[in-house]
Amino acid sequence: MGKDLSADPFNPRDRGRYRRKVQRCLDTLARMLSDGSFSFARKNIGLEVELNLVDGDMLPSMSNIAVLDALDDPSFTTELGQHNIELNVPPRPLAGDNALELEEDLRAYLSKAGLKAQGAGATLAMIGILPTLTHDHFDQKWLTNRARYSLLNDQIFAARGEHTVLAMEGSALEGRKPERLRSYAESILPEAACTSVQLHLQVAPEEFAAHWNAAQCLAGVQVALGANSPFLLGKALWHETRIPLFLQATDTRPEELKNQGVRPRVWFGERWITSIFDLFEENVRYFPGLLPETDSEDPIEALESGQAPKLTELRLHNGTVWRWNRPVYDVVEGVPHLRVENRVLPAGPTVLDVVANAAFFYGAQRALAEQERPIWTQMSFQAAEENLYAGARQGFNAQLYWPGIGWVPPDELALRVLLPLAHEGLKRSEVSDEARERYLGVIEQRCLARKTGSSWQRDFVLRAQDKGLERDEALSRMLSRYLELSAEGEPVHLWSLDS
């Protein structure tokens, strides 16, 4: 989805040509995996952060093109909504002090972008869901003016044949009844409400399955410990409302296909894997092309001539199946490689929290992937999926399943099991003691305080309403204070509720 597309409409012949080309790409990937075509020198990591732009009234600022023009930096790019931009931090090794340098670089990028945003009358907001969004902000006119976004919008609605339904029941604020949302949207812009941090890990082909399975096992606890998206359209919903919102915003299935068990395009998956090929093959087998554009490359001919094939159609198709842990094939400077892309985490609340979440994931993932008896051989795939939804809905109040323990709150699971594993995984990755202690210490203190960005937002709004503010005003005031604290940089477990 990173490249722009032709604005010309697709026809039935395009779809047939695209389907055949995707299959040829898949055959090429199978050959590359079998003949050792992938070079692998070290485990590079990468990070993407999706950001919101807000105006002085804490409402979305539809100014992304102006901000990006002022930035003139290829590290920043458009996202779906006009109030979104995305930052792609350059990849680097995990070892040594690179995590510390990642934190410094991320601060520098955001500082630069913040200054340019001010010039456009906007402020950057690094948060999972902008709590001041209203139904009016889902009007199709607020799509970023790029062909790929309007085409994606049109194709999803053509496949579904009806409006988007947003329906969910929330986790109750303390002392209150659960709140319910039922709304409709005539565009895919509710997806733009979901601003995330995406973590990338480059892995060797033979190691991919273990790292992906490990990431699936971690998804529930990741989202519980990192939740930062509790409000949508004025309602207090899940602690990490991005999870159900993204599913509903991009769902191509009408009710009849849901009832038949057709898989959603936002997908946890349905089984443990033995190869990255399993995931690409499932994507091709289960999901029709949304953006059937082809290029002139014959991937098998490219491979046989000694070039790294681009596999353009397979990559484009993969970009329209939104797995929470996505397989990535990429070519950099003529060299092909594979990555796990972890997509469960929201943006924010602070740079330190973001890097701490990343360090926890990379460390725990490696330790789990290298266990003599893998954890995924001891639990069902369904249990891992249920953990994701429980952690997203309840945050620290969730009960997650873990082999050898049973049902356990996420903070206890992290403190007893996963933080020690994360320390071990980062040691094996040769991460410096300073970096390891700094970032995993943040996760430990967050667990001890039982405070996430989501719980802070919920508590602030509840207190503001108890003082007599209406919900809209409470959300606006909360967001204003959130941005102040986020800019100060102290991790969220240290934030007070003072306004």
Side-chain angles (χ1 to χ4, degrees):
M1 285 302 297
K3 75 181 189 78
D4 213 348
L5 303 170
S6 167
D8 297 334
F10 300 118
N11 62 50
R13 284 180 295 179
D14 292 330
R15 295 188 179 279
R17 188 184 306 113
Y18 177 82
R19 183 179 294 111
R20 292 188 295 273
K21 191 72 180 294
V22 168
Q23 185 60 53
R24 193 157 178 84
C25 289
L26 191 64
D27 294 342
T28 305
L29 178 63
R31 185 184 295 190
M32 294 176 72
L33 290 169
S34 66
D35 67 12
S37 295
F38 291 93
S39 170
F40 185 75
R42 57 189 177 183
K43 285 187 171 69
N44 275 345
I45 62 170
L47 184 146
E48 302 172 50
V49 186
E50 296 166 345
L51 303 160
N52 289 282
L53 297 164
V54 297
D55 63 19
D57 295 322
M58 296 293 107
L59 295 172
S61 173
M62 304 301 179
S63 58
N64 65 347
I65 298 301
V67 173
L68 290 169
D69 286 346
L71 275 165
D72 192 25
D73 184 338
S75 296
F76 291 89
T77 186
T78 57
E79 255 298 331
L80 182 66
Q82 292 183 28
H83 65 283
N84 301 136
I85 62 174
E86 180 179 275
L87 166 62
N88 295 279
V89 182
R92 67 202 65 211
L94 180 57
D97 285 333
N98 277 292
L100 298 170
E101 294 171 7
L102 173 62
E103 181 184 351
E104 292 179 7
D105 288 352
L106 189 50
R107 289 186 198 281
Y109 277 116
L110 294 180
S111 176
K112 174 184 175 182
L115 290 174
K116 298 300 183 182
Q118 286 179 17
T123 301
L124 287 183
M126 188 166 61
I127 191 168
I129 291 178
L130 196 63
T132 52
L133 285 165
T134 68
H135 187 271
D136 291 342
H137 298 124
F138 295 157
D139 191 298
Q140 186 172 343
K141 68 183 180 182
W142 299 123
L143 283 169
T144 295
N145 187 23
R146 296 287 187 269
R148 68 178 181 268
Y149 300 127
S150 58
L151 284 169
L152 184 64
N153 180 83
D154 294 346
Q155 293 298 310
I156 285 177
F157 271 80
R160 183 166 53 228
E162 55 194 48
H163 292 164
T164 299
V165 178
L166 305 177
M168 57 197 81
E169 180 170 334
S171 176
L173 296 173
E174 186 176 355
R176 304 291 179 91
K177 294 181 179 179
E179 299 177 25
R180 294 177 176 84
L181 174 69
R182 185 167 182 87
S183 184
Y184 295 87
E186 299 177 13
S187 75
I188 60 168
L189 273 168
E191 181 192 338
C194 305
T195 40
S196 65
V197 167
Q198 294 149 30
L199 305 176
H200 292 255
L201 178 69
Q202 183 179 345
V203 293
E206 63 273 14
E207 297 176 342
F208 184 93
H211 279 84
W212 187 85
N213 289 340
Q216 294 286 92
C217 293
L218 286 170
V221 71
Q222 270 187 284
V223 77
L225 301 186
N228 196 33
S229 312
F231 292 100
L232 175 64
L233 298 180
K235 303 287 188 180
L237 299 171
W238 292 26
H239 278 253
E240 191 47 47
T241 306
R242 279 176 48 260
I243 301 300
L245 177 59
F246 202 94
L247 168 62
Q248 294 176 15
T250 57
D251 203 343
T252 56
R253 306 168 302 164
E255 288 300 319
E256 294 81 1
L257 293 185
K258 294 179 188 177
N259 294 336
Q260 293 173 34
V262 172
R263 296 158 181 83
R265 297 189 85 101
V266 173
W267 199 31
F268 188 76
E270 60 190 15
R271 62 189 174 108
W272 306 119
I273 65 168
T274 59
S275 166
I276 188 174
F277 187 81
D278 296 347
L279 301 178
F280 282 110
E281 191 274 335
E282 284 181 346
N283 287 356
V284 173
R285 178 154 43 105
Y286 294 142
F287 301 104
L290 282 180
L291 302 170
E293 185 163 288
T294 58
D295 69 9
S296 60
E297 179 192 69
D298 184 309
I300 291 180
E301 289 182 3
L303 181 64
E304 290 177 344
S305 68
Q307 301 174 7
K310 296 191 295 287
L311 305 187
T312 302
E313 294 78 12
L314 186 66
R315 292 161 68 189
L316 180 60
H317 189 69
N318 190 53
T320 62
V321 180
W322 293 276
R323 292 179 182 267
W324 293 113
N325 285 294
R326 177 189 272 168
V328 176
Y329 168 91
D330 206 353
V331 180
V332 177
E333 297 180 352
V335 179
H337 71 260
L338 304 174
R339 303 195 303 268
V340 178
E341 180 189 13
N342 177 255
R343 303 169 51 83
V344 303
L345 288 168
T350 68
V351 169
L352 180 52
D353 285 303
V354 166
V355 181
N357 290 340
F360 174 75
F361 171 73
Y362 290 129
Q365 183 195 37
R366 173 160 186 173
L368 290 175
E370 294 179 353
Q371 283 183 328
E372 187 172 337
R373 186 186 177 198
I375 195 72
W376 55 91
T377 67
Q378 305 170 55
M379 66 188 294
S380 70
F381 194 85
Q382 182 182 10
E385 182 175 17
E386 289 173 353
N387 281 350
L388 171 66
Y389 292 112
R393 183 189 290 273
Q394 300 291 340
F396 278 126
N397 296 321
Q399 290 288 317
L400 308 181
Y401 176 77
W402 200 259
I405 299 177
W407 298 97
V408 60
D411 50 316
E412 183 179 344
L413 176 58
L415 292 168
R416 286 175 54 186
V417 178
L418 294 175
L419 273 169
L421 284 174
H423 275 284
E424 181 59 33
L426 293 182
K427 285 181 183 177
R428 292 183 200 170
S429 299
E430 300 179 349
V431 173
S432 70
D433 290 345
E434 180 184 357
R436 182 172 52 81
E437 294 291 346
R438 174 172 174 77
Y439 301 121
L440 296 186
V442 168
I443 302 298
E444 179 183 24
Q445 292 304 310
R446 195 189 299 165
C447 289
L448 292 172
R450 302 191 92 238
K451 183 189 291 186
T452 61
S454 178
S455 64
W456 182 88
Q457 291 184 55
R458 289 161 61 93
D459 290 346
F460 190 104
V461 168
L462 184 60
R463 175 181 284 198
Q465 288 191 258
D466 286 343
K467 292 179 178 179
L469 294 185
E470 295 296 324
R471 173 61 62 83
D472 287 351
E473 187 177 357
L475 288 171
S476 180
R477 187 166 302 182
M478 179 273 288
L479 179 58
S480 178
R481 183 59 178 151
Y482 175 102
L483 296 180
E484 292 172 359
L485 292 169
S486 181
E488 290 173 5
E490 289 286 350
V492 73
H493 68 266
L494 297 177
W495 288 12
S496 75
L497 293 172
D498 299 334
S499 58

Short mmCIF file of all heavy atoms in Angstrom, two decimals, residues 436-482:
data_model
loop_
_atom_site.label_atom_id
_atom_site.label_comp_id
_atom_site.label_asym_id
_atom_site.label_seq_id
_atom_site.Cartn_x
_atom_site.Cartn_y
_atom_site.Cartn_z
N ARG A 436 18.48 -2.21 28.03
CA ARG A 436 17.58 -3.27 28.52
C ARG A 436 16.92 -2.85 29.84
O ARG A 436 15.69 -2.98 30.00
CB ARG A 436 18.39 -4.55 28.70
CG ARG A 436 17.60 -5.75 29.16
CD ARG A 436 18.46 -7.01 29.12
NE ARG A 436 19.73 -6.83 29.81
CZ ARG A 436 19.88 -6.93 31.15
NH1 ARG A 436 18.82 -7.21 31.91
NH2 ARG A 436 21.07 -6.77 31.70
N GLU A 437 17.69 -2.34 30.77
CA GLU A 437 17.15 -1.95 32.07
C GLU A 437 16.22 -0.75 31.94
O GLU A 437 15.19 -0.67 32.61
CB GLU A 437 18.28 -1.64 33.05
CG GLU A 437 19.13 -2.85 33.43
CD GLU A 437 18.39 -3.86 34.28
OE1 GLU A 437 17.30 -3.52 34.82
OE2 GLU A 437 18.88 -5.00 34.41
N ARG A 438 16.58 0.18 31.08
CA ARG A 438 15.75 1.39 30.92
C ARG A 438 14.36 1.03 30.42
O ARG A 438 13.35 1.43 31.02
CB ARG A 438 16.42 2.36 29.96
CG ARG A 438 15.58 3.60 29.62
CD ARG A 438 16.39 4.60 28.81
NE ARG A 438 15.62 5.74 28.35
CZ ARG A 438 15.24 6.77 29.09
NH1 ARG A 438 15.54 6.79 30.38
NH2 ARG A 438 14.54 7.78 28.58
N TYR A 439 14.29 0.28 29.35
CA TYR A 439 12.99 0.07 28.71
C TYR A 439 12.16 -1.00 29.40
O TYR A 439 10.96 -0.81 29.59
CB TYR A 439 13.19 -0.23 27.23
CG TYR A 439 13.91 0.90 26.54
CD1 TYR A 439 15.13 0.71 25.89
CD2 TYR A 439 13.39 2.19 26.59
CE1 TYR A 439 15.80 1.76 25.29
CE2 TYR A 439 14.06 3.25 26.00
CZ TYR A 439 15.26 3.04 25.35
OH TYR A 439 15.92 4.09 24.78
N LEU A 440 12.78 -2.09 29.79
CA LEU A 440 11.99 -3.10 30.50
C LEU A 440 11.63 -2.61 31.89
O LEU A 440 10.61 -3.05 32.46
CB LEU A 440 12.76 -4.42 30.55
CG LEU A 440 13.01 -5.06 29.17
CD1 LEU A 440 13.64 -6.45 29.34
CD2 LEU A 440 11.74 -5.15 28.33
N GLY A 441 12.42 -1.70 32.45
CA GLY A 441 12.05 -1.08 33.73
C GLY A 441 10.76 -0.28 33.61
O GLY A 441 9.94 -0.24 34.55
N VAL A 442 10.55 0.37 32.46
CA VAL A 442 9.30 1.10 32.23
C VAL A 442 8.12 0.15 32.22
O VAL A 442 7.07 0.41 32.83
CB VAL A 442 9.38 1.89 30.91
CG1 VAL A 442 8.00 2.43 30.50
CG2 VAL A 442 10.36 3.05 31.03
N ILE A 443 8.27 -0.98 31.53
CA ILE A 443 7.18 -1.97 31.50
C ILE A 443 6.91 -2.52 32.90
O ILE A 443 5.75 -2.68 33.31
CB ILE A 443 7.52 -3.12 30.52
CG1 ILE A 443 7.76 -2.58 29.11
CG2 ILE A 443 6.41 -4.17 30.52
CD1 ILE A 443 6.57 -1.89 28.48
N GLU A 444 7.96 -2.80 33.65
CA GLU A 444 7.78 -3.31 35.01
C GLU A 444 7.01 -2.31 35.87
O GLU A 444 6.05 -2.67 36.56
CB GLU A 444 9.14 -3.59 35.65
CG GLU A 444 9.05 -4.10 37.08
CD GLU A 444 10.42 -4.30 37.70
OE1 GLU A 444 11.39 -3.66 37.25
OE2 GLU A 444 10.51 -5.11 38.65
N GLN A 445 7.41 -1.04 35.83
CA GLN A 445 6.73 -0.03 36.65
C GLN A 445 5.30 0.21 36.17
O GLN A 445 4.40 0.48 36.98
CB GLN A 445 7.53 1.28 36.62
CG GLN A 445 8.87 1.18 37.34
CD GLN A 445 8.71 0.73 38.78
OE1 GLN A 445 7.89 1.26 39.54
NE2 GLN A 445 9.50 -0.27 39.16
N ARG A 446 5.07 0.11 34.88
CA ARG A 446 3.70 0.24 34.37
C ARG A 446 2.82 -0.87 34.92
O ARG A 446 1.66 -0.65 35.29
CB ARG A 446 3.71 0.21 32.84
CG ARG A 446 2.41 0.68 32.21
CD ARG A 446 2.39 0.41 30.72
NE ARG A 446 3.46 1.09 30.02
CZ ARG A 446 3.83 0.80 28.77
NH1 ARG A 446 3.23 -0.19 28.11
NH2 ARG A 446 4.81 1.45 28.18
N CYS A 447 3.37 -2.08 34.96
CA CYS A 447 2.61 -3.20 35.51
C CYS A 447 2.35 -3.01 37.01
O CYS A 447 1.24 -3.30 37.50
CB CYS A 447 3.35 -4.51 35.27
SG CYS A 447 3.39 -5.04 33.55
N LEU A 448 3.34 -2.56 37.74
CA LEU A 448 3.18 -2.36 39.19
C LEU A 448 2.16 -1.26 39.47
O LEU A 448 1.38 -1.36 40.43
CB LEU A 448 4.53 -2.04 39.83
CG LEU A 448 5.55 -3.18 39.83
CD1 LEU A 448 6.91 -2.70 40.31
CD2 LEU A 448 5.06 -4.34 40.72
N ALA A 449 2.17 -0.21 38.65
CA ALA A 449 1.20 0.88 38.83
C ALA A 449 -0.17 0.54 38.23
O ALA A 449 -1.16 1.19 38.55
CB ALA A 449 1.73 2.15 38.18
N ARG A 450 -0.20 -0.47 37.36
CA ARG A 450 -1.42 -0.86 36.63
C ARG A 450 -2.03 0.36 35.94
O ARG A 450 -3.22 0.62 36.04
CB ARG A 450 -2.44 -1.55 37.54
CG ARG A 450 -1.92 -2.78 38.24
CD ARG A 450 -3.01 -3.58 38.93
NE ARG A 450 -3.54 -4.62 38.03
CZ ARG A 450 -4.81 -4.71 37.69
NH1 ARG A 450 -5.69 -3.82 38.11
NH2 ARG A 450 -5.23 -5.68 36.88
N LYS A 451 -1.17 1.10 35.23
CA LYS A 451 -1.62 2.32 34.56
C LYS A 451 -1.10 2.33 33.13
O LYS A 451 0.10 2.27 32.89
CB LYS A 451 -1.13 3.56 35.29
CG LYS A 451 -1.65 4.87 34.66
CD LYS A 451 -0.98 6.09 35.26
CE LYS A 451 -1.41 6.31 36.69
NZ LYS A 451 -0.84 7.61 37.21
N THR A 452 -2.03 2.40 32.19
CA THR A 452 -1.71 2.57 30.77
C THR A 452 -2.23 3.92 30.30
O THR A 452 -2.93 4.63 31.04
CB THR A 452 -2.38 1.47 29.93
OG1 THR A 452 -3.81 1.59 30.08
CG2 THR A 452 -1.92 0.08 30.35
N GLY A 453 -1.92 4.27 29.05
CA GLY A 453 -2.51 5.47 28.47
C GLY A 453 -4.03 5.40 28.50
O GLY A 453 -4.71 6.40 28.75
N SER A 454 -4.58 4.21 28.27
CA SER A 454 -6.02 4.04 28.27
C SER A 454 -6.61 4.27 29.65
O SER A 454 -7.60 4.99 29.81
CB SER A 454 -6.39 2.64 27.77
OG SER A 454 -7.79 2.45 27.82
N SER A 455 -6.02 3.66 30.67
CA SER A 455 -6.58 3.82 32.02
C SER A 455 -6.46 5.26 32.48
O SER A 455 -7.36 5.79 33.15
CB SER A 455 -5.90 2.87 33.01
OG SER A 455 -4.53 3.16 33.15
N TRP A 456 -5.35 5.96 32.10
CA TRP A 456 -5.22 7.37 32.47
C TRP A 456 -6.32 8.19 31.78
O TRP A 456 -6.96 9.04 32.42
CB TRP A 456 -3.84 7.89 32.07
CG TRP A 456 -3.65 9.33 32.47
CD1 TRP A 456 -3.19 9.81 33.66
CD2 TRP A 456 -3.97 10.48 31.66
NE1 TRP A 456 -3.20 11.19 33.64
CE2 TRP A 456 -3.67 11.64 32.44
CE3 TRP A 456 -4.47 10.65 30.37
CZ2 TRP A 456 -3.86 12.92 31.95
CZ3 TRP A 456 -4.66 11.94 29.89
CH2 TRP A 456 -4.36 13.06 30.67
N GLN A 457 -6.55 7.96 30.49
CA GLN A 457 -7.59 8.71 29.78
C GLN A 457 -8.96 8.48 30.42
O GLN A 457 -9.74 9.43 30.63
CB GLN A 457 -7.64 8.28 28.31
CG GLN A 457 -6.44 8.70 27.48
CD GLN A 457 -6.63 8.33 26.03
OE1 GLN A 457 -7.62 8.71 25.40
NE2 GLN A 457 -5.68 7.58 25.47
N ARG A 458 -9.27 7.24 30.71
CA ARG A 458 -10.58 6.91 31.30
C ARG A 458 -10.74 7.57 32.67
O ARG A 458 -11.79 8.14 32.98
CB ARG A 458 -10.72 5.39 31.40
CG ARG A 458 -10.92 4.70 30.05
CD ARG A 458 -10.61 3.21 30.12
NE ARG A 458 -11.48 2.52 31.06
CZ ARG A 458 -12.62 1.93 30.74
NH1 ARG A 458 -13.05 1.95 29.49
NH2 ARG A 458 -13.33 1.31 31.66
N ASP A 459 -9.69 7.51 33.49
CA ASP A 459 -9.78 8.09 34.84
C ASP A 459 -9.89 9.61 34.78
O ASP A 459 -10.63 10.22 35.56
CB ASP A 459 -8.55 7.70 35.66
CG ASP A 459 -8.53 6.23 36.04
OD1 ASP A 459 -9.59 5.58 35.90
OD2 ASP A 459 -7.47 5.73 36.46
N PHE A 460 -9.17 10.24 33.84
CA PHE A 460 -9.22 11.69 33.72
C PHE A 460 -10.63 12.14 33.33
O PHE A 460 -11.19 13.09 33.92
CB PHE A 460 -8.20 12.17 32.68
CG PHE A 460 -8.01 13.67 32.66
CD1 PHE A 460 -6.88 14.24 33.23
CD2 PHE A 460 -8.96 14.50 32.07
CE1 PHE A 460 -6.70 15.62 33.21
CE2 PHE A 460 -8.79 15.88 32.06
CZ PHE A 460 -7.66 16.44 32.63
N VAL A 461 -11.20 11.49 32.32
CA VAL A 461 -12.54 11.87 31.85
C VAL A 461 -13.57 11.62 32.93
O VAL A 461 -14.48 12.45 33.15
CB VAL A 461 -12.87 11.12 30.55
CG1 VAL A 461 -14.36 11.25 30.20
CG2 VAL A 461 -12.01 11.63 29.41
N LEU A 462 -13.46 10.52 33.64
CA LEU A 462 -14.41 10.22 34.72
C LEU A 462 -14.34 11.30 35.79
O LEU A 462 -15.38 11.80 36.27
CB LEU A 462 -14.10 8.85 35.31
CG LEU A 462 -15.06 8.33 36.37
CD1 LEU A 462 -16.48 8.20 35.83
CD2 LEU A 462 -14.58 6.98 36.90
N ARG A 463 -13.13 11.69 36.17
CA ARG A 463 -12.98 12.72 37.19
C ARG A 463 -13.53 14.06 36.69
O ARG A 463 -14.21 14.78 37.44
CB ARG A 463 -11.51 12.88 37.57
CG ARG A 463 -11.26 14.01 38.54
CD ARG A 463 -9.79 14.17 38.89
NE ARG A 463 -9.35 13.14 39.83
CZ ARG A 463 -8.23 13.26 40.56
NH1 ARG A 463 -7.48 14.34 40.45
NH2 ARG A 463 -7.88 12.29 41.38
N ALA A 464 -13.25 14.38 35.42
CA ALA A 464 -13.76 15.65 34.86
C ALA A 464 -15.28 15.68 34.84
O ALA A 464 -15.91 16.70 35.14
CB ALA A 464 -13.19 15.86 33.46
N GLN A 465 -15.89 14.56 34.48
CA GLN A 465 -17.35 14.51 34.47
C GLN A 465 -17.92 14.57 35.88
O GLN A 465 -18.98 15.17 36.10
CB GLN A 465 -17.82 13.25 33.75
CG GLN A 465 -17.60 13.31 32.24
CD GLN A 465 -18.30 12.18 31.51
OE1 GLN A 465 -17.67 11.21 31.11
NE2 GLN A 465 -19.59 12.30 31.33
N ASP A 466 -17.24 13.96 36.83
CA ASP A 466 -17.69 14.05 38.23
C ASP A 466 -17.65 15.48 38.73
O ASP A 466 -18.38 15.85 39.67
CB ASP A 466 -16.82 13.16 39.12
CG ASP A 466 -17.13 11.67 38.95
OD1 ASP A 466 -18.20 11.36 38.39
OD2 ASP A 466 -16.30 10.84 39.36
N LYS A 467 -16.80 16.32 38.11
CA LYS A 467 -16.72 17.74 38.48
C LYS A 467 -17.73 18.58 37.71
O LYS A 467 -17.74 19.82 37.84
CB LYS A 467 -15.31 18.26 38.24
CG LYS A 467 -14.27 17.68 39.18
CD LYS A 467 -12.88 18.23 38.86
CE LYS A 467 -11.84 17.67 39.83
NZ LYS A 467 -10.47 18.18 39.51
N GLY A 468 -18.54 17.95 36.86
CA GLY A 468 -19.62 18.66 36.20
C GLY A 468 -19.46 18.91 34.72
O GLY A 468 -20.34 19.50 34.09
N LEU A 469 -18.35 18.48 34.12
CA LEU A 469 -18.16 18.70 32.69
C LEU A 469 -18.97 17.68 31.88
O LEU A 469 -19.14 16.53 32.28
CB LEU A 469 -16.69 18.56 32.30
CG LEU A 469 -15.71 19.60 32.85
CD1 LEU A 469 -14.33 19.37 32.26
CD2 LEU A 469 -16.18 21.02 32.56
N GLU A 470 -19.48 18.12 30.73
CA GLU A 470 -20.10 17.20 29.80
C GLU A 470 -19.02 16.36 29.12
O GLU A 470 -17.84 16.73 29.09
CB GLU A 470 -20.90 17.98 28.75
CG GLU A 470 -22.08 18.74 29.31
CD GLU A 470 -23.14 17.82 29.92
OE1 GLU A 470 -23.34 16.72 29.36
OE2 GLU A 470 -23.74 18.20 30.94
N ARG A 471 -19.41 15.24 28.54
CA ARG A 471 -18.44 14.31 27.97
C ARG A 471 -17.56 14.98 26.91
O ARG A 471 -16.34 14.82 26.92
CB ARG A 471 -19.17 13.09 27.38
CG ARG A 471 -18.30 12.09 26.61
CD ARG A 471 -17.20 11.44 27.43
NE ARG A 471 -17.64 10.65 28.54
CZ ARG A 471 -18.03 9.37 28.50
NH1 ARG A 471 -18.07 8.75 27.34
NH2 ARG A 471 -18.38 8.74 29.60
N ASP A 472 -18.14 15.75 26.00
CA ASP A 472 -17.34 16.36 24.93
C ASP A 472 -16.28 17.29 25.51
O ASP A 472 -15.12 17.28 25.07
CB ASP A 472 -18.24 17.14 23.97
CG ASP A 472 -19.06 16.23 23.07
OD1 ASP A 472 -18.81 15.00 23.08
OD2 ASP A 472 -19.95 16.74 22.36
N GLU A 473 -16.67 18.10 26.48
CA GLU A 473 -15.72 19.02 27.09
C GLU A 473 -14.67 18.27 27.87
O GLU A 473 -13.47 18.63 27.86
CB GLU A 473 -16.45 20.01 27.98
CG GLU A 473 -15.55 21.12 28.51
CD GLU A 473 -16.29 22.15 29.35
OE1 GLU A 473 -17.53 22.04 29.47
OE2 GLU A 473 -15.63 23.06 29.87
N ALA A 474 -15.08 17.19 28.55
CA ALA A 474 -14.13 16.38 29.32
C ALA A 474 -13.09 15.74 28.39
O ALA A 474 -11.90 15.70 28.70
CB ALA A 474 -14.87 15.31 30.11
N LEU A 475 -13.54 15.27 27.22
CA LEU A 475 -12.61 14.66 26.27
C LEU A 475 -11.63 15.69 25.72
O LEU A 475 -10.44 15.42 25.58
CB LEU A 475 -13.39 14.02 25.13
CG LEU A 475 -14.16 12.73 25.46
CD1 LEU A 475 -15.05 12.33 24.30
CD2 LEU A 475 -13.20 11.60 25.80
N SER A 476 -12.14 16.87 25.41
CA SER A 476 -11.27 17.92 24.90
C SER A 476 -10.23 18.33 25.93
O SER A 476 -9.05 18.49 25.61
CB SER A 476 -12.11 19.13 24.49
OG SER A 476 -11.30 20.16 23.98
N ARG A 477 -10.65 18.49 27.17
CA ARG A 477 -9.71 18.87 28.22
C ARG A 477 -8.71 17.74 28.47
O ARG A 477 -7.53 17.98 28.70
CB ARG A 477 -10.46 19.22 29.50
CG ARG A 477 -9.54 19.78 30.57
CD ARG A 477 -10.28 20.44 31.70
NE ARG A 477 -11.14 21.53 31.25
CZ ARG A 477 -11.86 22.28 32.08
NH1 ARG A 477 -11.81 22.06 33.39
NH2 ARG A 477 -12.64 23.24 31.61
N MET A 478 -9.18 16.52 28.45
CA MET A 478 -8.28 15.38 28.63
C MET A 478 -7.21 15.36 27.55
O MET A 478 -6.02 15.18 27.82
CB MET A 478 -9.07 14.07 28.63
CG MET A 478 -8.23 12.82 28.79
SD MET A 478 -7.57 12.16 27.23
CE MET A 478 -9.06 11.52 26.49
N LEU A 479 -7.63 15.55 26.30
CA LEU A 479 -6.67 15.50 25.20
C LEU A 479 -5.64 16.62 25.32
O LEU A 479 -4.44 16.40 25.08
CB LEU A 479 -7.39 15.59 23.85
CG LEU A 479 -6.49 15.56 22.61
CD1 LEU A 479 -5.64 14.30 22.56
CD2 LEU A 479 -7.33 15.70 21.34
N SER A 480 -6.07 17.78 25.72
CA SER A 480 -5.15 18.90 25.90
C SER A 480 -4.09 18.56 26.96
O SER A 480 -2.89 18.79 26.75
CB SER A 480 -5.92 20.16 26.30
OG SER A 480 -5.03 21.23 26.52
N ARG A 481 -4.54 18.01 28.08
CA ARG A 481 -3.59 17.63 29.13
C ARG A 481 -2.72 16.46 28.69
O ARG A 481 -1.51 16.42 28.98
CB ARG A 481 -4.35 17.27 30.41
CG ARG A 481 -3.47 16.92 31.60
CD ARG A 481 -2.55 18.06 31.96
NE ARG A 481 -1.74 17.76 33.13
CZ ARG A 481 -0.53 18.27 33.35
NH1 ARG A 481 0.01 19.13 32.47
NH2 ARG A 481 0.15 17.96 34.42
N TYR A 482 -3.28 15.53 27.95
CA TYR A 482 -2.53 14.40 27.42
C TYR A 482 -1.37 14.89 26.56
O TYR A 482 -0.23 14.41 26.69
CB TYR A 482 -3.47 13.51 26.60
CG TYR A 482 -2.83 12.36 25.87
CD1 TYR A 482 -2.91 11.06 26.36
CD2 TYR A 482 -2.15 12.55 24.66
CE1 TYR A 482 -2.35 9.99 25.68
CE2 TYR A 482 -1.57 11.50 23.98
CZ TYR A 482 -1.67 10.22 24.48
OH TYR A 482 -1.09 9.17 23.81
#
